[in-house]
């Protein structure tokens, strides 16, 4: 599977900095398995017929859901990363048309709504996270899953493994840094947060459109 490996487009780091789903590092693999388990459990609770992953990267999760007979598709702002996702889909005998270039800020109900919207590992890269959440409000019909790195734990773990020391452990491309309480507070301005999971070292939120009172 093709992985961006830290490439940048228009000065923005795209995709995954390394193949985290194929890593042989035992500690990293254990953490990724925790993330996968949390996301899988939330998707199983929602039982969606359709899924749209906003910020789909190289397409790992969209292809995984397609193998589970879920009608999934993905978008990303980067033409490079969508090209990789399409190549990965072809390599798996899947329809590359499941992937399209589109910024999170430009999503529309006509093209992008689904039973479940997934937006994982995206918000920390954005200069305008509030604007992104407003955009997601337009397309979330029923359920939304958001995940972000949990800070400052994320940077501490990077430093512990000797990564990004000159940047005090900050992963390239991460512009925002939220504690669990911080991301819940932000997202709660736009959605009802119904469940919060903490797979080390992430925060993952299951959200619903704000109830009318």
């Amino acid at each position: 599977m093709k992985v961006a490996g830290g490439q940048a487009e228009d000065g923005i780091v795209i995709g995954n900095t390394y193949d985290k789903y194929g890593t042989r590092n035992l500690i990293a693999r254990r953490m990724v398995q925790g993330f996968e388990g949390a996301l899988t459990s939330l998707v199983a609770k929602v039982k969606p017929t359709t899924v749209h992953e906003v910020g789909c990267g190289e397409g790992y999760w969209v292809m995984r859901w397609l193998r589970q007979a879920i009608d999934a598709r993905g978008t990303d702002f980067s033409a490079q990363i969508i090209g990789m996702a399409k190549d990965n889909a072809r390599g798996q005998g899947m329809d590359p048309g499941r992937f399209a270039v589109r910024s999170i800020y430009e999503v529309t109900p006509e093209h992008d709504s689904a039973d479940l919207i997934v937006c994982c590992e995206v918000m920390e890269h954005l200069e305008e996270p509030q604007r992104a959440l407003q955009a997601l409000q337009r397309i979330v019909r029923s359920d939304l899953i958001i995940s972000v790195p949990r800070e400052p734990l994320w940077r501490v773990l990077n430093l512990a493994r000797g990564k990004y020391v000159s940047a005090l452990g900050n992963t390239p491309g991460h512009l925002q840094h939220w504690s669990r309480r911080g991301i819940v507070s932000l997202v709660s301005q736009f959605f009802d947060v119904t469940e919060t999971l903490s797979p080390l070292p992430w925060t993952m939120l299951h959200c619903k459109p704000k109830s009318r009172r």
Side-chain angles (χ1 to χ4, degrees), residues 168-185:
L168 300 179
N170 188 53
T171 299
H174 286 196
L175 305 180
Q176 310 292 339
H177 308 90
W178 288 289
S179 65
R180 173 175 169 167
R181 179 179 296 179
I183 191 61
V184 170
S185 176

Side-chain angles (χ1 to χ4, degrees), residues 90-120:
R90 291 188 190 97
Q92 296 292 320
M94 296 178 178
D95 177 14
R98 294 281 177 170
F99 299 98
V101 178
R102 186 141 57 252
S103 163
I104 188 172
Y105 303 122
E106 297 170 349
V107 293
T108 64
E110 295 80 13
H111 296 102
D112 301 307
S113 289
D115 297 336
L116 171 63
I117 304 298
V118 175
C119 186
C120 290

